[in-house]
């Protein structure tokens, strides 16, 4: 028993530890050392980057380091520990999706495939009135443009954008300035120390780059920053928590040390690590290119296979359609043979009809020549009639002008008669009493009565002459009007006869063509009726000639 107890005392005490990284969890046991540890079991530790690189592309050498750092920065952005604008958030989310899902495939990445992923800060989601589907569509539009980018390349593009954010790599602590208890924020990062207002973590009020700091001293709760330029004032600030003060000092020492180391030539070990990492990246890049070419060739082969299958189906359809068309063409050939036979018979019949039509055409041509001669004669007579009509019109107009002159002469004669009567009356009233008074002695009453009667007789004689002249003029006018009316009647009769002759000629021509269309049965009627029509035409022509001669004789009489 004593031996067992002494052996148990020699065994060290252990406690369980749980380490949580950004993509995994590990549990193991540790020995109890001098430091105080919590009594919780297991004790939880978070494995995080304490110092941030200035240039992620140069300082993150190993791929696992880059991946863990990418996960940490992405979580800080999503938890809004690092401020990011909405536009930059969407772009970063598209690279995160590329790193997780690879190249975008519309056949595989259907709408809603990002529903379970946390890609944007809540502040950005609440800032705009957009649904989850709208955000996914916006992210997918950027994601589709990252085709061909590998996971490590997408993570590096994410970090290169993130390192330019104002709050990237900054650790914030609450401090006061001097003893006035002015609340401020101290920011420690890879570039130096920064002093912020409590409500603004983006733009510092004052900055102390590591290259301008000569010394940082710490005494209990007071920190002193001494610049290299001794002319500048020393800056002091206070922090009330001892544990926080130690952390501030460790961050200042570590960041300053890294700042100075980055500006020196890398050690051999670091150079070897970077060379190995570069070779590894080149090898992986080559492998990715080979895989990409193979994938492209496989896709092209699949597309060619699909094209050949499609072409095969198309040729099969074309063959089926060709067979159907062949069957239809054979049936059509039989029908066409029957139609050809019928057409041949119809052609013979049409040839026979064409010969008969040619004979009929020749006969009609002869008839047309005769009709043409008759038409010429008729047109000649019509021209003569028209010339006669024009002559009659001219004579009528001349007679109208003569009538106007006669009317004017009659008017002038009446005016002269009226003036003569007036003058005679005036002379009679003025001269006759004077002659009776001074020239002769007074006559007896009987003689006076006789003289008055003789003067009255002279006046009556003048009136009778004027009346006779008026009557002759009126008679001439009436005779002229009667002759003009007679000429107008003759002209109308001549025009009606011309129109009747034209109408009869048209009817004759129409009758000839109509009887020709009726066929052979109408030929005898035409032949039988030709003599009768000729006789009637001669009679009409004789009647027209007689009427014309009568009109000419009457015209001569009238003229």
């Amino acid at each position: 028993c004593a031996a067992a107890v002494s052996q148990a005392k020699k065994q060290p005490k252990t406690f369980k530890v749980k380490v949580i990284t950004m993509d995994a969890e590990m549990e193991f046991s540790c020995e109890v050392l001098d430091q105080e540890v919590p009594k919780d079991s297991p004790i939880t530790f978070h494995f995080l980057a304490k110092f941030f690189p200035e240039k992620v592309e140069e300082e993150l050498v190993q791929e696992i380091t880059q991946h863990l750092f990418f996960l940490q920065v992405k979580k800080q952005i999503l938890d809004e520990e690092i401020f990011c604008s909405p536009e930059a958030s969407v772009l970063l989310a598209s690279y995160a999706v590329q790193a997780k899902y690879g190249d975008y495939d519309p056949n595989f990445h259907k709408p809603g495939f990002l529903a379970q992923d946390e890609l944007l800060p809540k502040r950005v989601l609440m800032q705009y009135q957009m649904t989850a589907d709208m955000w996914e569509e916006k992210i997918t539009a950027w994601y589709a443009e990252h085709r061909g980018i590998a996971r490590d390349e997408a993570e590096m593009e994410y970090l290169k954008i993130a390192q330019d954010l104002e709050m990237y790599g900054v650790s914030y602590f609450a401090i006061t300035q001097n003893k006035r208890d002015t609340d401020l924020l101290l920011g420690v990062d890879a570039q130096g120390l920064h002093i912020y207002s409590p409500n603004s973590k983006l733009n510092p009020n004052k900055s102390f780059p590591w290259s301008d700091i000569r010394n940082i001293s710490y005494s209990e709760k007071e920190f002193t920053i001494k610049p290299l330029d001794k002319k500048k004032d020393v800056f002091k600030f206070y922090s009330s928590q001892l544990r926080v003060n130690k952390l501030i000092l460790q961050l200042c020492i570590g960041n300053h040390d890294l700042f100075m180391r980055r500006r020196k030539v890398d050690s051999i070990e670091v150079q070897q690590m970077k060379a190995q990492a570069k070779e590894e990246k080149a090898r992986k890049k080559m492998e990715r290119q080979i895989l990409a070419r193979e994938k492209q060739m496989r896709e092209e082969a699949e597309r060619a296979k699909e094209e050949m299958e499609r072409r095969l189906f198309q040729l099969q359809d074309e063959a089926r359609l060709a067979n159907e068309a062949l069957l239809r063409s054979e049936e059509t050939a039989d029908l066409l043979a029957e139609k050809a036979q019928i057409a041949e018979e119809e052609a013979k019949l049409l040839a026979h009809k064409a010969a008969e039509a040619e004979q009929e055409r020749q006969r009609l041509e002869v008839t047309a020549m005769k009709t043409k001669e008759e038409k010429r004669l008729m047109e000649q007579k019509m021209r003569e009639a028209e010339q006669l009509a024009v002559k009659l019109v001219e004579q009528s107009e001349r007679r109208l002008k003569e009538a106007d002159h006669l009317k004017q002469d009659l008017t002038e004669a009446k005016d002269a008669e009226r003036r003569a009567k007036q003058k005679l009356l005036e002379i009679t009233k003025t001269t006759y009493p004077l002659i009776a008074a001074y020239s002769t002695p007074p006559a007896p009453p009987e003689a006076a009565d006789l003289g008055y009667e003789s003067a009255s007789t002279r006046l009556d004689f003048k009136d009778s002459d004027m009346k006779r002249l008026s009557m002759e003029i009126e008679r001439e006018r009436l005779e002229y009007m009667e002759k003009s009316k007679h000429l107008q009647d003759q002209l109308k009769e001549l025009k009606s006869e011309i129109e009747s002759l034209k109408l009869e000629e048209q009817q004759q021509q129409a009758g000839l063509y109509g009887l020709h269309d009726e066929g052979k049965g109408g030929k005898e009627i035409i032949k039988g009726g030709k003599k009768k029509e000729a006789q009637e035409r001669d009679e009409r022509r004789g009647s027209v000639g007689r009427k014309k001669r009568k009109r000419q004789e009457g015209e001569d009489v009238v003229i």
Side-chain angles (χ1 to χ4, degrees):
C1 274
V5 172
S6 60
Q7 187 176 359
K9 288 182 179 179
K10 290 181 181 180
Q11 290 180 352
K13 294 182 179 180
T14 60
F15 58 94
K16 292 182 178 181
V17 176
K18 182 178 182 181
V19 178
I20 301 176
T21 65
M22 296 304 302
D23 62 347
E25 294 182 0
M26 296 176 290
E27 289 189 7
F28 50 89
S29 297
C30 291
E31 295 181 359
V32 179
L33 300 177
D34 294 338
Q35 68 269 22
E36 296 180 359
V37 295
K39 296 181 179 180
D40 299 336
S41 182
I43 300 174
T44 303
F45 293 94
H46 292 275
F47 186 76
L48 298 173
K50 188 175 183 180
F51 303 101
F52 285 72
E54 291 183 25
K55 297 181 180 179
V56 291
E57 192 172 11
E58 295 179 3
E59 298 182 37
L60 299 178
V61 179
Q62 296 182 354
E63 184 177 348
I64 182 62
T65 305
Q66 173 185 307
H67 178 65
L68 293 175
F69 191 70
F70 158 75
L71 295 176
Q72 179 175 340
V73 172
K74 186 180 76 168
K75 187 175 185 306
Q76 288 179 332
I77 291 175
L78 295 178
D79 293 343
E80 300 183 16
E81 295 178 6
I82 298 176
F83 176 81
C84 184
S85 64
E87 294 79 7
S89 299
V90 174
L91 180 59
L92 291 174
S94 65
Y95 279 114
V97 173
Q98 178 70 21
K100 182 176 181 180
Y101 294 100
D103 291 340
Y104 173 69
D105 186 357
N107 298 322
F108 179 74
H109 301 109
K110 301 293 182 181
F113 77 103
L114 297 178
Q116 304 301 322
D117 293 327
E118 185 181 5
L119 299 172
L120 296 172
K122 293 181 179 179
R123 173 184 52 79
V124 175
L125 295 175
M126 298 298 294
Q127 187 174 352
Y128 298 94
Q129 295 179 354
M130 295 176 62
T131 62
D133 295 336
M134 296 170 68
W135 283 113
E136 180 178 311
E137 182 180 357
K138 199 172 184 66
I139 294 172
T140 305
W142 286 95
Y143 167 45
E145 296 183 2
H146 303 329
R147 185 176 181 83
I149 299 179
R151 190 196 75 170
D152 57 335
E153 294 175 345
E155 291 177 351
M156 181 55 67
E157 293 297 326
Y158 187 102
L159 292 174
K160 284 161 64 174
I161 296 172
Q163 73 180 354
D164 294 331
L165 300 176
E166 289 81 357
M167 296 178 66
Y168 165 81
V170 181
S171 299
Y172 295 92
F173 302 94
I175 61 173
T176 57
Q177 187 178 6
N178 298 329
K179 296 182 179 180
R180 292 175 294 179
D181 295 335
T182 303
D183 293 334
L184 296 172
L185 288 177
L186 173 68
V188 184
D189 63 1
Q191 302 294 331
L193 300 177
H194 311 282
I195 309 299
Y196 300 87
S197 298
N199 298 325
S200 176
K201 294 183 179 181
L202 297 178
N203 300 315
N205 298 333
K206 184 180 294 187
S207 294
F208 301 95
W210 296 121
S211 58
D212 295 341
I213 297 177
R214 179 165 55 90
N215 185 19
I216 298 176
S217 59
Y218 162 67
S219 175
E220 294 184 356
K221 298 181 181 181
E222 183 183 48
F223 283 88
T224 302
I225 301 175
K226 297 180 180 180
L228 284 176
D229 189 359
K230 295 182 179 180
K231 295 180 180 179
K232 293 183 179 180
D233 297 334
V234 175
F235 183 81
K236 294 184 179 181
F237 61 89
Y238 297 89
S239 177
S240 59
Q241 297 181 6
L242 182 61
R243 184 178 61 83
V244 174
N245 295 343
K246 291 182 179 180
L247 179 58
I248 293 174
L249 185 61
Q250 291 176 1
L251 287 174
C252 290
I253 294 172
N255 278 299
H256 182 267
D257 184 41
L258 289 173
F259 178 82
M260 300 302 295
R261 193 185 302 175
R262 290 186 187 107
R263 281 144 184 83
K264 295 180 181 179
V265 179
D266 294 333
S267 62
I268 298 176
E269 292 81 2
V270 174
Q271 292 178 6
Q272 290 177 352
M273 288 177 60
K274 288 184 177 180
Q276 292 176 359
K278 188 175 182 179
E279 292 176 359
E280 186 68 15
K281 287 183 179 180
R283 183 182 62 79
K284 288 184 177 181
K285 185 176 182 179
M286 183 66 68
E287 290 178 355
R288 285 196 296 269
Q289 291 177 352
I290 294 172
L291 290 175
R293 284 196 298 269
E294 292 178 353
K295 183 179 180 181
Q296 183 178 1
M297 293 174 63
R298 184 169 62 254
E299 291 176 352
E300 291 178 355
E302 291 177 355
R303 286 196 296 270
K305 181 181 178 182
E306 293 176 356
E307 180 64 21
M308 292 179 66
E309 291 178 352
R310 186 187 64 78
R311 183 60 180 164
L312 178 61
F313 292 148
Q314 183 178 358
L315 292 174
Q316 290 176 352
D317 293 338
E318 291 178 356
R320 178 177 56 79
L321 294 175
N323 291 328
E324 294 177 357
L326 180 61
L327 294 176
R328 288 195 299 270
S329 63
E330 292 176 353
E331 295 175 356
T332 305
D334 296 337
L335 293 175
L336 290 176
E338 295 178 1
K339 290 183 178 180
Q341 185 177 358
I342 295 171
E344 186 176 358
E345 294 176 357
E346 291 179 351
K348 292 179 180 178
L349 181 60
L350 290 174
H352 180 67
K353 290 183 178 181
E356 293 180 353
E358 180 63 22
Q359 295 176 0
E360 184 66 18
R361 187 191 64 78
Q362 293 176 358
R363 186 188 65 77
L364 291 173
E365 188 175 357
V366 174
T367 306
M369 291 175 66
K370 294 180 180 179
T371 306
K372 188 175 182 180
E373 182 64 21
E374 294 176 355
K375 183 178 179 181
R376 187 182 63 77
L377 295 174
M378 183 67 68
E379 289 177 351
Q380 184 177 357
K381 292 181 179 181
M382 289 173 62
R383 285 195 295 272
E384 293 175 356
E386 288 177 354
Q387 291 175 0
L388 179 59
V390 171
K391 187 176 181 181
L392 291 174
V393 171
E394 292 176 354
Q395 291 177 356
S396 175
E397 291 177 353
R398 188 169 63 252
R399 292 296 185 184
L400 288 174
K401 290 180 180 179
E402 291 176 358
D404 291 337
H405 289 305
L406 290 173
K407 288 180 181 180
Q408 187 175 1
D409 293 341
L410 178 60
T411 303
E412 291 176 355
K414 287 182 179 181
D415 292 339
E417 178 186 359
R418 188 174 62 255
R419 288 194 300 271
K421 286 182 179 180
Q422 184 70 27
K423 186 174 183 181
L424 181 59
L425 182 61
E426 291 176 356
I427 292 170
T428 304
K429 289 180 180 180
T430 55
T431 60
Y432 182 75
L434 292 173
I435 293 171
Y438 296 99
S439 298
T440 59
E446 292 85 1
D449 294 336
L450 180 61
Y452 179 77
E453 287 177 359
S454 64
S456 176
T457 302
R458 287 195 298 273
L459 291 175
D460 292 339
F461 174 75
K462 294 294 183 177
D463 292 339
S464 62
D465 290 340
M466 295 303 295
K467 289 179 180 180
R468 185 175 63 254
L469 179 60
S470 299
M471 289 175 66
E472 289 177 359
I473 292 171
E474 184 66 23
R475 185 174 62 255
E476 289 292 334
R477 188 180 66 80
L478 293 175
E479 288 176 359
Y480 171 75
M481 294 298 293
E482 185 177 357
K483 290 177 181 180
S484 298
K485 182 178 182 183
H486 181 66
L487 286 174
Q488 294 293 331
D489 294 339
Q490 288 179 350
L491 181 61
K492 289 181 180 179
E493 184 179 357
L494 180 59
K495 287 184 178 180
S496 62
E497 288 176 0
I498 292 170
E499 293 295 330
S500 63
L501 288 174
K502 289 183 179 179
L503 181 60
E504 288 176 1
E505 182 182 2
Q506 293 176 358
Q507 291 177 352
Q508 288 175 4
Q509 292 178 358
L512 285 175
Y513 287 107
L515 291 173
H516 167 64
D517 292 338
E518 289 176 359
K520 295 180 179 180
K523 292 180 181 179
E524 295 178 358
I525 297 173
I526 294 171
K527 291 178 180 179
K530 283 184 178 179
K531 294 181 179 180
K532 186 176 180 180
E533 291 176 359
Q535 292 174 0
E536 292 177 354
R537 187 166 58 251
D538 292 338
E539 290 177 359
R540 285 195 300 272
R541 288 176 180 172
S543 174
V544 173
R546 288 193 296 272
K547 290 180 180 179
K548 187 185 296 184
R549 286 194 297 272
K550 288 180 180 180
R551 283 194 300 271
Q552 291 175 353
E553 293 172 358
E555 182 181 350
D556 294 338
V557 172
V558 172
I559 294 168

